[in-house]
């Protein structure tokens, strides 16, 4: 199978550089699963200056690491993580698409665990911080509490049987998932909820597997700014 890695990016060039340094590890992990990593797509959601300029001091939007092409897509303004993921997934050439957050709180090599969960009619494999019994490390208490509360609200909104909708490591089966991704309307952090619900509505299965989650890294999520928007998006989703 062919694999594309997509990463929504907003500033933080040091985190992006660190993640790109682990691309050879992902390439090896994919090969061990019988897959070929064919590209990396950075989806720049309005970084100022652009992530290409922050990474290189220039405007190069394509190069390669360990023989894997790296491409940067760019929104001129910040439109939201959901929108950045959507355009990258639709531009990806791989049969499977691995989405990772730029801070790589879930290491890229955890791909092997997601790949092992692939099965007939499984369109989406979600990494999870909460299906294991070990405590999540590095996540501040208020983030941990709010995450649990949000996932409870997600289940109340009708997206049941998912313990962690917001973990930033997910695997998409694009031959079936393309139309679902095209239909996404939530553009910010709550897009995962709509994605999971729409997969099930379209007849696909969603698998959830435990992944190592290191936490303690920077995130573009800002509670005071983004939590109200996430709750509003969830309310709109529940009432549609």
């Amino acid at each position: 199978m062919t694999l594309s890695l997509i990463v929504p990016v907003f500033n933080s060039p040091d985190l992006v550089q660190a993640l790109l340094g682990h691309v050879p590890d992902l390439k090896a992990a994919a090969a061990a699963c019988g897959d070929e990593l064919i590209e990396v797509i950075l989806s720049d959601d309005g970084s100022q200056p652009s992530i290409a300029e922050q990474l290189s001091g220039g405007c190069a939007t394509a190069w390669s690491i360990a023989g894997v092409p790296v491409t940067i897509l760019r929104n001129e303004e910040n439109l939201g993580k959901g929108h950045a993921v959507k355009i990258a997934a639709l531009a990806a050439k791989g049969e499977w698409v691995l989405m990772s957050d730029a801070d790589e709180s879930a290491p890229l090599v955890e791909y092997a665990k997601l790949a092992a969960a692939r099965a007939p009619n499984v369109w989406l494999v979600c990494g999870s911080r909460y299906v294991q019994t070990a405590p999540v490390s590095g996540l501040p208490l208020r983030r941990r509490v709010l995450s649990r509360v949000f996932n409870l609200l997600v289940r109340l909104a009708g997206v049941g049987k998912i313990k962690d909708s917001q973990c930033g490591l997910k695997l998409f089966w694009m031959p079936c998932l393309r139309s679902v991704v095209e239909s996404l309307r939530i553009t910010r952090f709550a897009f995962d909820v709509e994605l999971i619900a729409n997969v099930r509505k379209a007849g696909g299965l969603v698998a959830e597997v435990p992944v190592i989650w290191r936490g303690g890294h920077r995130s573009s999520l800002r509670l005071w700014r983004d939590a109200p928007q996430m709750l509003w998006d969830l309310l709109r989703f529940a009432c549609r």
Side-chain angles (χ1 to χ4, degrees):
M1 296 289 182
T2 53
L3 173 68
S4 299
L5 170 65
I6 64 171
V7 185
V9 174
F10 182 67
N11 294 320
S12 302
D14 56 330
L15 296 181
V16 177
Q17 286 278 26
L19 179 143
L20 292 175
H22 296 143
V23 165
D25 300 328
L26 174 61
K27 181 179 179 181
C33 296
D35 301 329
E36 180 187 4
L37 179 62
I38 61 170
E39 64 180 343
V40 176
I41 299 176
L42 305 178
S43 191
D44 181 2
D45 190 28
S47 299
Q48 297 297 334
S50 72
I51 199 65
E53 294 173 290
Q54 293 185 55
L55 287 175
S56 64
C59 297
T61 57
W63 67 95
S64 68
I65 295 176
V68 179
V70 180
T71 304
I72 298 178
L73 305 179
R74 174 164 168 77
N75 296 323
E76 291 300 324
E77 58 181 304
N78 183 264
L79 298 176
K81 179 182 178 180
H83 185 270
V85 169
K86 178 178 179 175
I87 64 171
L90 293 177
K93 300 178 178 67
E95 296 163 289
W96 289 96
V97 168
L98 178 67
M99 180 193 85
S100 172
D101 286 340
D103 70 354
E104 206 185 344
S105 288
L108 292 180
V109 293
E110 292 293 270
Y111 169 74
K113 294 178 181 176
L114 274 61
R118 296 181 296 194
N121 212 34
V122 172
W123 298 2
L124 177 65
V125 184
C126 298
S128 175
R129 298 163 288 185
Y130 300 132
V131 296
Q132 63 266 50
T133 56
V136 174
S137 63
L139 190 65
L141 178 61
R142 62 175 180 172
R143 285 281 302 275
R144 198 177 310 161
V145 171
L146 287 172
S147 178
R148 292 288 195 177
V149 169
F150 184 78
N151 278 290
L152 173 61
L153 294 175
V154 167
R155 291 195 293 273
L156 292 175
V159 187
K161 298 181 181 179
I162 189 82
K163 292 186 177 180
D164 186 7
S165 63
Q166 302 308 114
C167 180
L169 196 69
K170 290 184 171 67
L171 186 61
F172 304 171
W173 174 233
M174 288 307 293
C176 290
L177 208 58
R178 181 167 296 275
S179 62
V180 173
V181 174
E182 287 174 342
S183 71
L184 294 178
R185 295 293 176 263
I186 295 177
T187 59
R188 296 200 174 270
F189 287 102
F191 82 95
D192 311 67
V193 178
E194 183 183 21
L195 174 64
I196 292 166
N198 285 2
V199 167
R200 289 173 171 162
K201 184 178 179 180
L205 298 178
V206 179
E208 187 176 19
V209 297
V211 294
I212 294 172
W213 201 88
R214 304 182 289 205
H217 301 280
R218 299 195 309 274
S219 170
S220 59
L221 176 68
R222 296 294 177 264
L223 293 181
W224 61 269
R225 179 196 65 193
D226 298 313
Q229 180 66 52
M230 291 174 71
L231 292 174
W232 173 244
D233 285 338
L234 185 57
L235 179 62
R236 287 168 53 211
F237 169 80
C239 295
R240 68 182 183 177

